[in-house]
Amino acid sequence: MSKIKIAYSPCPNDTFVFDAWAHGRVPGAPRLDVTFADIDVTNGMAERGEFDVLKVSYAVLPYVLDEYALLPCGGALGRGCGPLVLTRAPGTDLSRATVAVPGERSTAYLLFRLWAADVLPDGVGRVVVLPFHEIMPAVRDGKVDAGLVIHEARFTYPEYGLHCLADMGEHWETTTGLPIPLGAIIARRSLGPELLGLLAESARRSVRMAWDDPEASRPYVMEHAQEMDPAVADQHIGLYVNEFTADLGEAGYSAVRGLLTRAAAEGLVPPLGREALSFV
């Protein structure tokens, strides 16, 4: 079998999940040809039909599910792990603000738009897109008034002297009772049911192997963690790699369906077909 072309981010949760598989330690798993790219880049790759398997934002699923299937494992959902809106000072009026976001097709931005529709009657002043690692410095330096942040920024924003204006995940959980869908693993439907099933099982076994021996993945995680403090990398993994990573389960699928159905009702994404989330 030829190598499976896969693209995922260099973030600690992804390298932790895929370490065993990428290094040939998952028995019977297809070999991988790995490309690293930030998730806003992989979202575009998915929309262009590139790669066999990708880590993408759940927000991009309505645009790609004709060609790709959602795998029931390997992604990022959870509780207490949603995007934050950060400002230099408490109480910033977002109706007059410039807000930096990490991608127009990011789940973070979709959650932000749903939050804004509920709590900001005057809307948001202006939205600009920046790579996520540039957002906190831009807020700190006054280049933008507020920033929507993800990943390890949940742990590090006080170091920039910033304040949390609102927690998108907290709003989502309070209004829906569901976990927060963030990143999905998708694979080409044209690979066929048998290979899709093997890919899902390989991802599931890879994450379980990482849990069984966390130290085995540490070199791979830190190699790609962009000089991140090891303690922050561990916090990142602990927050974003959880039971939903091993299996979406009923609650996970309900969260994904709830997010995309609610967003479609607001006219933010195309509606999902009835069987769009079904796997093989």
Side-chain angles (χ1 to χ4, degrees), residues 178-219:
L178 296 168
I180 308 156
L182 296 168
I185 305 297
I186 59 173
R188 287 189 193 279
R189 295 185 185 275
S190 61
L191 295 173
E194 184 176 347
L195 183 49
L196 286 172
L198 178 59
L199 294 174
E201 182 57 26
S202 299
R204 186 175 288 116
R205 293 184 72 179
S206 187
V207 69
R208 287 177 174 159
M209 291 173 71
W211 280 332
D212 288 344
D213 185 6
E215 287 304 310
S217 67
R218 186 169 295 276

Side-chain angles (χ1 to χ4, degrees), residues 106 115 119 163:
S106 66
W115 169 79
V119 305
H163 299 268

Side-chain angles (χ1 to χ4, degrees), residues 8 14 18 53-56 58 69-75 183-187:
Y8 51 82
D14 286 346
F18 287 104
V53 181
L54 300 111
K55 170 77 174 287
V56 298
Y58 273 109
L70 171 64
L71 267 61
C73 52
I185 305 297
I186 59 173

Side-chain angles (χ1 to χ4, degrees), residues 13-242:
N13 61 311
D14 286 346
T15 48
F16 180 83
V17 165
F18 287 104
D19 170 64
W21 189 1
H23 292 96
R25 301 199 306 271
V26 178
R31 294 179 302 156
L32 297 180
D33 177 3
V34 178
T35 294
F36 289 101
D38 288 336
I39 199 161
D40 58 319
V41 175
T42 62
N43 286 342
M45 291 172 171
E47 291 192 76
R48 294 188 296 273
E50 301 170 3
F51 289 84
D52 302 312
V53 181
L54 300 111
K55 170 77 174 287
V56 298
S57 300
Y58 273 109
V60 86
L61 290 192
Y63 305 93
V64 302
L65 285 178
D66 284 346
E67 185 166 348
Y68 289 94
L70 171 64
L71 267 61
C73 52
L77 290 87
R79 297 187 182 277
C81 61
L84 306 178
V85 178
L86 304 180
T87 58
R88 286 188 305 284
T92 298
D93 180 5
L94 294 188
S95 69
R96 301 171 181 271
T98 297
V99 183
V101 304
E104 293 183 338
R105 289 278 170 86
S106 66
T107 311
Y109 185 43
L110 189 58
L111 288 165
F112 174 79
R113 294 173 79 187
L114 291 172
W115 169 79
D118 284 348
V119 305
L120 297 180
D122 296 325
V124 175
R126 188 167 72 99
V127 170
V128 297
V129 175
L130 291 177
F132 82 90
H133 63 276
E134 295 181 11
I135 291 177
M136 288 194 294
V139 179
R140 178 197 61 199
D141 298 341
K143 296 177 180 177
V144 295
D145 303 303
L148 181 68
V149 301
I150 53 177
H151 301 324
E152 65 279 357
R154 287 189 64 91
F155 315 119
T156 60
Y157 73 85
E159 298 172 13
Y160 291 78
L162 303 180
H163 299 268
C164 179
L165 184 72
D167 185 326
M168 306 297 93
E170 182 179 277
H171 178 75
W172 171 259
E173 291 188 71
T174 299
T175 55
T176 69
L178 296 168
I180 308 156
L182 296 168
I185 305 297
I186 59 173
R188 287 189 193 279
R189 295 185 185 275
S190 61
L191 295 173
E194 184 176 347
L195 183 49
L196 286 172
L198 178 59
L199 294 174
E201 182 57 26
S202 299
R204 186 175 288 116
R205 293 184 72 179
S206 187
V207 69
R208 287 177 174 159
M209 291 173 71
W211 280 332
D212 288 344
D213 185 6
E215 287 304 310
S217 67
R218 186 169 295 276
Y220 191 52
V221 168
M222 296 314 302
E223 176 188 353
H224 298 285
Q226 300 172 345
E227 300 183 5
M228 189 185 301
D229 184 283
V232 173
D234 288 344
Q235 286 179 291
H236 184 119
I237 292 165
L239 190 61
Y240 295 109
V241 185
N242 52 47

